[in-house]
């Protein structure tokens, strides 16, 4: 079948019958320049079911018995001399008769049998890309986010797909890694493997601050192919990368590019918390690619495709991936504990615009619950006095002698700390500067 200009299918034109007298019908080839008594014959196609077979046969016999024909010359070279004209003519007729007899009893041949497509020649880099895609495609999955919706007329509760994304198999136990924003708000999740088998998925845990989630499916181990995990610590700008995902629902799509930048910073789509050391790439990443793997030229995982910078929502050549070194630690904690143990200061702070209007630089504390680390240490929240006037709380200006200008700076410092670490917080309290020691605790 052939594709029409309108995208449909139209029947292919019938094959034209090959005439008997076609010069490619029977070919007799002399073996070489040296004289030989052996002749090689190659029959490319034959058919006796032709309305003009009798006239074609007559022309063929005249051709092979004529003194100037290729067959006559070949036989002359093989037998030698002009004194054997009758022998040559008789031998030619015998050969022709044999071919005709064989073709008469043989079934008609399909012309397609003699049309063989030449092997496609690929460059070494193309072969490497093809091989990388074949090896890693079984590790990439398609994730469907289902949400419960109540029908307005029947009041029945229905599961309606509200989004989709990508993911990849982490281990043989059925753990699948993706982005948190891919599964956010889902009542049910379905994971489709490369062999099109579909499984219900359970949420093992998620880290909304880093936009990472781990799912689990009950699939046979022989159907699960974990993706090879690499490292992101030695990446270089300019090296080739490959993204596999399901953009716009088109499953298992490969795009290629290079690393355009390193150590970028983006904000989590769920909490706005900054994600550091993000990989920037120009490999096309579109809606539906989220949660899919970013691979190096060896086929090893180096990141999770998570976001794009685009005014239109489509790929603009600026995509971002969470580095695998960050992801690995998060996934291990989620599988083991079901949550990520990350230190918190235990405060709520004001938006940056509000602090800028006050003409100061830092993080304004709006609330510091008494049971939290900051509340226990004595940080003062913003409140109103007995006359209803607003009394500003402490403004954090530095932590461990590292300047804090906004919330991103605060998160960046806390990401380098561990639960139980003691930090020194410098705050602006009224007109004076106060240093307060705080012991970090895990999030409740």
């Amino acid at each position: 079948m052939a594709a029409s200009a309108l995208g449909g299918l139209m029947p292919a034109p019938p094959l034209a019958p090959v005439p008997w007298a076609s010069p490619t019908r029977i070919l007799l080839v002399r073996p070489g320049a040296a004289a030989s008594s052996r002749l090689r014959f190659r029959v490319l196609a034959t058919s006796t079911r032709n309305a003009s077979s009798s006239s074609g046969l007559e022309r063929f016999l005249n051709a092979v018995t004529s003194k100037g024909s290729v067959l006559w010359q070949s036989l002359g070279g093989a037998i030698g001399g002009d004194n054997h004209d009758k022998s040559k003519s008789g031998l030619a007729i015998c050969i022709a008769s044999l071919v005709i007899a064989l073709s008469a009893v043989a079934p008609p041949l399909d012309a397609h049998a003699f049309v063989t497509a030449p092997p496609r020649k690929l460059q070494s880099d193309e072969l490497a890309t093809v091989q990388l895609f074949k090896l890693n495609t079984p590790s990439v999955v398609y994730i469907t986010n289902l949400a419960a919706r109540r029908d307005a007329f029947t009041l029945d509760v229905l599961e309606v797909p509200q989004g989709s994304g990508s993911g990849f198999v982490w281990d043989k136990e059925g753990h699948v890694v993706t982005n948190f924003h891919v599964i956010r708000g889902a009542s049910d999740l379905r994971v489709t493997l490369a062999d099109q088998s579909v499984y219900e998925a359970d949420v093992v845990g998620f880290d909304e601050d880093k936009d990472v989630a781990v799912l689990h499916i009950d699939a046979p181990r022989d159907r699960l192919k974990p993706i090879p995990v690499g490292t992101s610590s030695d990446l270089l700008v300019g090296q080739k990368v490959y993204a596999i995902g399901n953009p716009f629902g088109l499953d298992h799509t490969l795009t290629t590019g290079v690393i355009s930048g390193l150590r970028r910073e983006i904000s989590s789509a769920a909490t706005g918390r900054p994600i550091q050391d993000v990989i920037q790439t120009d490999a096309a990443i579109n809606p539906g690619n989220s949660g899919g793997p970013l691979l190096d030229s060896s086929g090893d995982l180096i990141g999770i495709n998570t976001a794009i910078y685009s005014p239109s929502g489509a790929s603009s050549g600026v995509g971002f991936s969470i580095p695998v070194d960050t992801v690995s630690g998060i996934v291990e904690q989620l599988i083991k504990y079901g949550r990520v143990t990350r230190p918190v200061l235990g405060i709520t702070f004001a938006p940056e615009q509000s602090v800028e209007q006050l003409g100061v630089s830092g993080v304004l504390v709006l609330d510091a619950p008494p049971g939290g680390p900051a509340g226990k240490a004595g940080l003062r929240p913003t409140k109103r006095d007995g006359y209803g006037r607003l009394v500003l709380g402490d403004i954090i200006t530095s932590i461990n002698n590292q300047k804090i200008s906004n919330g991103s700076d605060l998160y960046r410092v806390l990401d380098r700390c561990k639960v139980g670490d003691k930090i020194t917080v410098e705050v602006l309290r009224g007109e004076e500067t106060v240093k307060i020691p705080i012991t970090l605790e895990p999030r409740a």
Side-chain angles (χ1 to χ4, degrees):
M1 305 290 286
S4 67
L6 297 177
L9 294 177
M10 59 183 181
L15 293 171
V18 182
W20 172 259
S22 172
T24 60
R25 181 62 58 184
I26 300 178
L27 181 63
L28 290 82
V29 183
R30 191 175 178 183
S36 173
S37 60
R38 297 174 58 191
L39 295 176
R40 293 188 295 119
F41 301 94
R42 182 158 58 99
V43 180
L44 297 182
T46 181
S47 174
T48 58
R49 301 177 183 180
N50 195 312
S52 59
S53 59
S54 58
S55 59
L57 176 60
E58 182 178 358
R59 289 194 301 271
F60 173 76
L61 292 177
N62 292 334
V64 298
T65 55
S66 64
K67 195 166 185 177
S69 66
V70 174
L71 177 59
W72 182 276
Q73 296 173 8
S74 298
L75 291 174
I79 300 175
D82 292 332
N83 297 326
H84 304 283
D85 291 350
K86 294 183 178 180
S87 299
K88 291 185 291 185
S89 178
L91 180 58
I93 294 175
C94 289
I95 294 172
S97 301
L98 178 61
V99 172
I100 294 170
L102 291 175
S103 64
V105 298
L109 299 178
D110 187 359
H112 288 90
F114 300 98
V115 181
T116 58
R120 184 174 296 277
K121 295 182 179 179
L122 300 178
Q123 301 298 323
S124 58
D125 60 333
E126 293 177 310
L127 291 173
T129 302
V130 171
Q131 187 69 8
L132 180 145
F133 180 73
K134 288 183 178 179
L135 291 177
N136 289 279
T137 294
S139 302
V140 182
V141 302
Y142 181 71
I143 300 174
T144 305
N145 182 330
L146 301 173
R149 296 286 186 269
R150 185 179 297 276
D151 188 273
F153 298 99
T154 64
L155 300 181
D156 294 335
V157 177
L158 306 174
E159 286 187 336
V160 180
Q162 67 173 356
S164 62
S166 306
F168 52 87
V169 179
W170 184 260
D171 54 30
K172 284 284 189 177
E173 280 66 43
H175 292 110
V176 174
V177 178
T178 184
N179 285 139
F180 170 71
H181 73 261
V182 171
I183 68 167
R184 182 172 51 185
S187 59
D188 283 302
L189 295 165
R190 290 175 186 168
V191 173
T192 304
L193 300 181
D195 60 1
Q196 301 305 311
S197 57
V198 182
Y199 299 91
E200 298 290 334
D202 300 319
V203 178
V204 176
F206 55 83
D207 181 6
E208 54 187 0
D209 290 335
K210 301 299 181 184
D211 201 16
V212 177
V214 177
L215 311 179
H216 181 267
I217 58 174
D218 291 323
R221 293 175 65 91
D222 57 349
R223 291 194 175 185
L224 297 174
K225 185 180 183 301
I227 199 164
V229 179
T231 179
S232 56
S233 61
D234 57 353
L235 298 178
L236 300 173
V237 174
Q239 75 177 77
K240 288 185 177 181
V241 290
Y242 306 84
I244 303 178
N246 308 285
F248 304 107
L250 303 173
D251 59 342
H252 297 100
T253 299
L254 171 69
T255 56
T256 65
V258 297
I259 294 178
S260 306
L262 295 170
R263 289 176 287 278
R264 303 298 194 216
E265 181 178 298
I266 62 175
S267 297
S268 169
T271 64
R273 186 163 180 163
I275 306 174
Q276 292 88 28
D277 298 327
V278 173
I279 304 167
Q280 179 186 336
T281 177
D282 67 346
I285 299 176
N286 290 288
N289 272 114
S290 292
L294 186 71
L295 309 171
D296 61 13
S297 56
S298 299
D300 294 334
L301 177 71
I302 59 173
I304 300 181
N305 301 319
T306 186
I308 58 174
Y309 179 79
S310 173
S312 64
S315 176
S316 61
V318 181
F320 300 101
S321 297
I322 304 173
V324 68
D325 291 349
T326 300
V327 173
S328 296
I330 295 174
V331 171
E332 290 174 2
Q333 290 192 59
L334 292 177
I335 293 176
K336 190 173 182 179
Y337 304 109
R339 62 188 182 93
V340 174
T341 304
R342 183 173 289 116
V344 295
L345 198 57
I347 64 170
T348 302
F349 55 87
E352 297 178 15
Q353 295 82 357
S354 301
V355 181
E356 291 176 356
Q357 291 176 359
L358 297 174
V360 296
S361 176
V363 173
L364 173 62
V365 179
L366 291 181
D367 188 21
K376 293 177 182 179
L379 253 68
R380 296 181 181 179
T382 300
K383 58 184 179 180
R384 294 186 181 275
D385 61 13
Y387 299 97
R389 293 174 297 186
L390 188 66
V391 178
L392 297 179
D394 292 337
I395 299 177
I396 300 175
T397 57
S398 72
I399 296 179
N400 291 343
N401 297 321
Q402 299 182 45
K403 185 179 179 180
I404 304 297
S405 299
N406 48 47
S408 296
D409 293 340
L410 176 63
Y411 284 131
R412 194 176 298 110
V413 172
L414 293 177
D415 283 340
R416 293 194 290 267
C417 299
K418 297 180 180 179
V419 174
D421 288 353
K422 293 183 178 181
I423 60 175
T424 301
V425 179
E426 186 176 292
V427 300
L428 181 63
R429 182 174 292 173
E431 298 295 331
E432 60 178 344
T433 300
V434 180
K435 291 186 177 181
I436 303 174
I438 298 177
T439 300
L440 298 176
E441 298 179 5
R443 176 180 295 173

